[in-house]
Amino acid sequence: MTCWYEGALAAFDTETTGVDVEADRIVSAAVVVQDAPGTRPRVSRWLVSPGVPVPEGATAVHGLTEEHLQRNGRWPAPVVYEIAQQLAEHTAMGRPLVVMNAPFDLTLLDRELRRHRASSLDRWFESAPLRVLDPRVMDKQLDRYRKGRRTLADLCEQYGVELRGAHDAAADAMAALDVVRAMGRRFAARLERLSPAELHALQVGWHAAQARGLQAWFARSGSPELVSTEWPLRQELSAAA
């Protein structure tokens, strides 16, 4: 029987106006599907005119200017519907969904659905629940004592994955998918017997423990920053939403 990391996977990534999931907006997104390692991926891309200013700092990261998005991007409402629909279809077909730092991208998509469609991400997965593989959470658990950062670029270097065109949604999604496959092979003794559903459930606990550890570190440092323990989607809405 084929292990999950040798089978079909889908991956999702976004580029945004900033890092606040409650207030910032999606400016581009991609879903990448690969049926097996080494096979040609199928890529869906979206470019969005967010309807709000695009800060220069965000443009410096992903290269998408406000003028370019206004000229070439689509209105958010149909885009977020299409993204959610595609993610739900992949889930219904049994494909695990790879999302690097899932609470960011999935929560942002949820808030965009609420904002533009009077809907929520949960509604799309009532019949076929999400099965998320988050390389950031998995790596922190499986190699917890390794020092250094754990950005996508760092994980690509750690697992021997080539990252071409960083901060392009499709490139980042493909790289995250490759990292998860490489991670599965490296830690096969711990992962090959787990189903995607079992691994999803484990990540809920892993992320919560990681968040509590980070929160304790912030407290010791005198920082007031709060860390959410929710994964892969933050449910609570702030006043800014």
Side-chain angles (χ1 to χ4, degrees):
M1 184 176 178
T2 302
C3 295
W4 59 263
Y5 51 82
E6 301 292 357
L9 296 174
F12 171 60
D13 190 72
T14 65
E15 296 299 329
T16 68
T17 59
V19 297
D20 184 341
V21 295
E22 305 294 357
D24 282 306
R25 311 297 174 88
I26 295 172
V27 297
S28 71
V31 174
V32 175
V33 182
Q34 188 182 46
D35 293 326
T39 61
R40 186 173 182 175
R42 302 186 297 281
V43 182
S44 299
R45 303 172 185 265
W46 294 268
L47 196 64
V48 185
S49 179
V52 299
V54 180
E56 291 183 0
T59 297
V61 173
H62 49 59
L64 298 171
T65 66
E66 187 171 340
E67 180 183 4
H68 177 77
L69 293 168
Q70 289 176 350
R71 186 171 63 248
N72 300 286
R74 297 168 59 200
W75 182 243
V79 170
V80 296
Y81 180 93
E82 290 168 13
I83 295 171
Q85 182 179 49
Q86 191 166 138
L87 296 183
E89 288 173 354
H90 291 309
T91 298
M93 295 177 71
R95 295 187 182 114
L97 182 65
V98 177
V99 190
M100 174 72 183
N101 192 16
F104 178 79
D105 292 87
L106 294 182
T107 303
L108 193 64
L109 177 59
D110 175 78
R111 301 320 190 242
E112 290 279 56
L113 285 165
R114 293 172 186 266
R115 186 177 291 121
H116 297 289
R117 304 291 309 195
S119 181
S120 69
L121 193 58
D122 282 339
R123 295 181 187 178
W124 287 91
F125 301 99
E126 291 174 345
S127 59
L130 264 173
R131 299 289 180 254
V132 175
L133 304 173
D134 187 334
R136 186 169 183 266
V137 173
M138 292 169 63
D139 179 69
K140 280 186 173 183
Q141 176 67 24
L142 297 168
D143 198 359
R144 66 175 69 184
Y145 300 113
R146 189 181 77 248
K147 294 183 179 180
R149 302 171 64 198
R150 298 180 195 250
T151 66
L152 179 59
D154 296 319
L155 296 188
C156 285
E157 182 177 356
Q158 178 67 25
Y159 290 95
V161 170
E162 185 176 6
L163 174 57
R164 296 180 178 178
H167 299 297
D168 170 82
D172 286 356
M174 188 70 231
L177 190 153
D178 286 340
V179 164
V180 163
R181 291 199 190 281
M183 196 179 298
R185 297 185 193 106
R186 179 176 298 185
F187 297 102
R190 299 166 65 180
L191 296 176
E192 65 182 355
R193 296 184 181 181
L194 295 172
S195 69
E198 291 170 329
L199 189 50
H200 178 103
L202 285 170
Q203 287 172 96
V204 173
W206 293 348
H207 178 269
Q210 292 162 12
R212 287 193 293 269
L214 182 57
Q215 187 70 77
W217 185 85
F218 281 143
R220 291 194 299 271
S221 303
S223 171
E225 186 170 348
L226 298 177
V227 183
S228 173
T229 60
E230 294 180 296
W231 182 96
L233 177 66
R234 299 175 192 167
Q235 298 294 338
E236 292 188 5
L237 294 170
S238 74

